[in-house]
Amino acid sequence: MAKKIYVESMISAPIDKLWQYTQSPDLHQQWDLRFSEITYIPKPTEDERQKFLYKTNIGFGISIAGEGESYGAKESKGVLTSSLKFSSDQPISLISEGSGFWRYIPTNEGVKFLTLYDYETRFGILGRFVDRVAFRPLICWAMAWSFDALRLWLEQGIHPSNSIKRFAQTMIIRFSLFFIWFYQGLIPKLLVQGSGELDIVRDIALFHGYESIILATVGIMEMLFGLMFILLRGKVYRLLHIINIIVLLVLAISVAAQPHILVAPFNPITLNIAVITISIVSLLSSSPTASASNCRRKATTDEVK
């Protein structure tokens, strides 16, 4: 049985404001990656559950729509809870129906905002398999990222659209540097050692007789270094960019004494300058970035009962 989706975030904002940004459809759809549109259906009376329609655009002009209902309640000690049910009749929707809740718990540090929900899938065993290995982890990540984008919006005034742009920029930088380092380590140093990299090592008398082994070792180190751009976070990630700049400057100086390399097309000097520039751009981007890792995604508290 798949685990229920749980996400928790601490948000330093008044609980009334947090309630407004999560219960007003025009605000909700701005920060929640799961929905493109949310529309409330007018209630006949205030005591009725709030019914709503939702739509998620998945690209290529295709969207998945559904409906649901929510109900808010106030508990002891100022805790607020919003329960909801949702469903979709569209055959292409993996989710058939589900239910869960949002809970707002005031604390000295702010509001502990958490959600717990689950759903049923279509397509039998295949649907459950796709949900377990791909869809559910993606939905959990999207929910956590959205919670953190909401936190930045309320705490620092960073609109979710800017968080998305900053996130896209960060991912482009991460995967560009990963690809460059991994490619440079794998192709010319491990798979095709006759591409010219071996000649550079041969020019160093200290490595005479061990050129191929040295080149392969350097290639593995470069591949591991590239992986760090995907795996590391926070201050260590910024330090990695500084190390990247220093290493590339040293490499550029080391080949500067070899004129035949400097005149080659796409030589190490031009490549190093481009990669150094990417790291400098990353270091100069000081705006906080929404991250799913800033949220707890494992239900360990009594609040989920």
Side-chain angles (χ1 to χ4, degrees):
M1 183 178 179
K3 292 183 179 180
K4 295 181 178 181
I5 293 176
Y6 177 86
V7 177
E8 175 188 314
S9 178
M10 183 66 69
I11 300 179
S12 298
I15 192 170
D16 292 341
K17 187 174 184 179
L18 179 56
W19 179 271
Q20 176 190 4
Y21 275 62
T22 54
Q23 298 295 323
S24 299
D26 57 328
L27 295 173
H28 181 186
Q29 65 191 20
Q30 293 184 57
W31 60 264
D32 199 332
L33 289 178
R34 299 171 303 163
F35 303 110
S36 302
E37 294 180 18
I38 303 173
T39 305
Y40 276 9
I41 300 174
K43 296 189 295 183
T45 65
E46 285 299 321
D47 295 333
E48 294 281 339
R49 292 179 179 269
Q50 177 64 67
K51 295 184 178 181
F52 61 89
L53 304 175
Y54 67 85
K55 184 171 74 171
T56 302
N57 298 325
I58 58 177
F60 306 102
I62 302 173
S63 62
I64 294 176
E67 60 183 9
E69 59 180 31
S70 63
Y71 179 77
K74 189 172 184 178
E75 304 174 11
S76 61
K77 299 181 181 179
V79 175
L80 301 178
T81 299
S82 175
S83 302
L84 72 153
K85 295 181 179 179
F86 52 92
S87 63
S88 176
D89 294 330
Q90 285 189 288
I92 63 172
S93 174
L94 181 63
I95 297 176
S96 58
E97 60 180 6
S99 62
F101 63 82
W102 286 356
R103 184 159 290 159
Y104 311 70
I105 306 171
T107 70
N108 294 331
E109 293 78 26
V111 180
K112 182 186 292 185
F113 180 44
L114 60 90
T115 184
L116 179 72
Y117 67 96
D118 200 4
Y119 52 82
E120 299 294 330
T121 59
R122 288 188 171 88
F123 315 123
I125 295 176
L126 177 60
R128 290 192 294 272
F129 175 76
V130 172
D131 178 61
R132 182 182 291 271
V133 302
F135 187 76
R136 189 171 294 254
L138 177 62
I139 287 293
C140 187
W141 173 87
M143 190 75 264
W145 190 94
S146 298
F147 270 35
D148 203 46
L150 173 63
R151 178 187 64 82
L152 290 176
W153 194 10
L154 292 175
E155 292 183 355
Q156 302 188 35
I158 300 174
H159 193 273
S161 61
N162 292 327
S163 289
I164 292 175
K165 293 176 183 177
R166 173 63 177 144
F167 175 76
Q169 175 185 323
T170 301
M171 289 299 102
I172 291 172
I173 290 174
R174 283 182 179 274
F175 281 93
S176 294
L177 292 177
F178 158 74
F179 175 79
I180 291 170
W181 278 104
F182 200 88
Y183 182 93
Q184 290 297 320
L186 179 64
I187 303 301
K189 295 181 177 64
L190 288 177
L191 300 183
V192 191
Q193 290 195 341
S195 61
E197 296 272 3
L198 198 59
D199 294 334
I200 298 176
V201 180
R202 284 174 179 156
D203 290 338
I204 305 175
L206 180 64
F207 299 145
H208 182 67
Y210 300 94
E211 294 90 347
S212 182
I213 297 175
I214 294 298
L215 189 61
T217 302
V218 172
I220 293 172
M221 293 174 62
E222 288 186 352
M223 292 167 66
L224 293 174
F225 188 70
L227 281 172
M228 293 182 185
F229 284 101
I230 295 179
L231 300 176
L232 297 183
R233 297 291 186 274
K235 294 181 179 179
V236 182
Y237 174 68
R238 293 183 63 83
L239 178 61
L240 183 64
H241 280 288
I242 296 175
I243 295 173
N244 184 53
I245 292 172
I246 294 173
V247 168
L248 290 173
L249 285 174
V250 171
L251 291 175
I253 294 173
S254 67
V255 301
Q258 304 180 51
H260 67 283
I261 296 178
L262 297 180
V263 297
F266 301 105
N267 60 74
I269 296 296
T270 56
L271 175 61
N272 288 8
I273 290 176
V275 179
I276 287 172
T277 301
I278 294 175
S279 279
I280 292 175
V281 170
S282 179
L283 291 172
L284 291 177
S285 301
S286 57
S287 299
T289 304
S291 173
S293 62
N294 292 332
C295 298
R296 177 181 292 176
R297 284 181 275 178
K298 185 177 179 181
T300 58
T301 61
D302 295 334
E303 288 80 12
V304 302
K305 296 181 179 179

